[in-house]
Amino acid sequence: MIHTDILIIGAGLSGLLTASLLQQRRPGLRITILEARPKAGGRIRTLRAENTAPLEMGATWLTNDHPRLMALLNRLGLDVMPQYTGPEAVYEFSAAQAPQRVQLPPGESQSYRVKGGTDQIISALLKEFGPEQLICSSPVHSVSAQPSAGKESDGHGGLEVRTPDAVYSAALVISTLPPRLLANSVTFDPSLPEPFMRIASQTHTWMSDSVKAGFTYAGADPFWLKPGATGTLFSNAGPLTEFYDHSQNGHHALAGFMHPDMAGQTTETRKKLALGQLTRLLGKPASDYQSYAECIWKDEVFTHSPHAGFLVPHQNSGHPVYREPLMKGRLILAGTETAASHPGYMEGAVESAGRAANSVFEYLGTSA
């Protein structure tokens, strides 16, 4: 059995930031982070290829209404860049109606992207940890109370956490998994309360139904940035529903969302239909692309948990049940769906990390 003080499940933004805050405020704590995927990042996924613009297949945008995230970027030495949309967009109301050019509201709140790519947040946080603290390819199967559980912080007693390859003992466990995934993939002994399990099973997982795609383009003068052109589109007909400029550092791309129903198609079918729509709505130059990439989040077993019926986007996100004590206060929940403020966004992930860190110190009787 491997002993640690604090065990964090999930190495996405919430998990890494929680570990960072704990380590900053009490350097002596032994902190272990378990990540089911082969590498950290969670729902932040920036695809990179040589001589192309990075494509955001996960978390992408933030605004001035996200002060905690802005403060984190400042602490990490990262900058933001405005999301370029241009003055007009192509809007397709339905397949039966011709697309039209529409003016974009000039007073709309400015959206930003992380300069250099959203994954710069993950890379910066990872620099704060030793290689022994992050264990990848380690999905958690069960969490059990140990008979000698107490408030000791020496790693002996507390909760027992099992993965396919190891057993861990921790005074406290912090889960940053989406609530529905946690409820459906991890076994607890004793069982978690029925009200919690019911709400968790009916909580929509941010991004889990999303299909994101992007096309990169060669050259220094992309067609959509020329006078009178646009690369912003909104469509009710699909397959693309929202598409935007995704240029970075002199490399150019268009990226955004496909209709969730496209998840059932093949990659070639999605690419063919998307390219046909871009060419039809933005003009023939759209067909002269450099590369194509996509991410079907429904296929991500460490994010998506299948469900019958329909879950409304953000359904039960931020529910108060996620901030109630579990397993006598030894199991703490973080993750964007658990946040009281901006659940479902990176801002919510940051808020939940701060709350989780405070909960740890409250439990240990240490001043925050």
Side-chain angles (χ1 to χ4, degrees), residues 343-355:
Y345 298 91
M346 286 189 284
E347 174 74 3
V350 174
E351 187 261 14
S352 76
R355 173 178 47 78

Side-chain angles (χ1 to χ4, degrees), residues 225-246:
L225 296 182
K226 294 180 179 180
T230 184
T232 304
L233 71 85
F234 303 97
S235 174
N236 295 325
L240 300 174
T241 56
E242 301 176 37
F243 236 52
Y244 307 93
D245 173 76
H246 230 60

